Amino acid sequence: MRCVIARFPFDLSKSGVVASMKGVKPEMITGESVIIGRRHYPVKQVGEVITRQDRRDFTSREVTRAMARLGFTCRSGHEAAPVRALTPLQNASALLGSPDSLET
């Protein structure tokens, strides 16, 4: 599929994007993300890898639009992050509060 990112045309395929991202460790997600395989990648990281351009040269919207057209699942930064369940010890500690809050 032909798409334009940072005013440059690219011929991208779903299998090509998967191959490009293979072995790339996902960075911490702070905004929009795309799911490639089982991993969640920041959109800007994916754009940088597949276009070989600096991530300041394109917008996350351009990459998100291209990834969605290829069939990848994209998530906005406004969606709730998965909630990590507390262990019983962490839950008990949270219920008891910190030592600073206890009166002496």
Side-chain angles (χ1 to χ4, degrees), residues 18 35-39 41 72:
V18 171
I35 301 171
I36 300 175
R38 292 189 214 170
R39 294 182 169 192
Y41 291 93
F72 291 104

Side-chain angles (χ1 to χ4, degrees), residues 84-97:
R84 196 180 99 215
L86 296 176
T87 65
L89 179 61
Q90 291 171 329
N91 190 29
S93 295
L95 290 172
L96 291 173

Side-chain angles (χ1 to χ4, degrees), residues 6-101:
R7 300 180 311 272
F8 292 100
F10 292 93
D11 288 318
L12 300 175
S13 67
K14 189 169 186 172
S15 60
V17 172
V18 171
S20 295
M21 296 306 293
K22 190 173 223 170
V24 176
K25 183 180 177 185
E27 296 172 359
M28 187 174 78
I29 297 171
T30 57
E32 296 177 340
S33 65
V34 60
I35 301 171
I36 300 175
R38 292 189 214 170
R39 294 182 169 192
H40 294 253
Y41 291 93
V43 170
K44 287 281 201 166
Q45 181 184 14
V46 174
E48 186 175 49
V49 171
I50 64 174
T51 65
R52 295 186 178 97
Q53 295 181 344
D54 189 277
R55 54 182 77 185
R56 294 173 291 183
D57 294 339
F58 53 84
T59 65
S60 59
R61 186 172 204 165
E62 291 174 302
V63 179
T64 301
R65 187 179 309 123
M67 296 298 104
R69 286 180 57 200
L70 285 172
F72 291 104
T73 302
C74 300
R75 296 198 172 158
S76 69
H78 302 294
E79 292 182 25
V83 177
R84 196 180 99 215
L86 296 176
T87 65
L89 179 61
Q90 291 171 329
N91 190 29
S93 295
L95 290 172
L96 291 173
S98 66
D100 297 336
S101 64

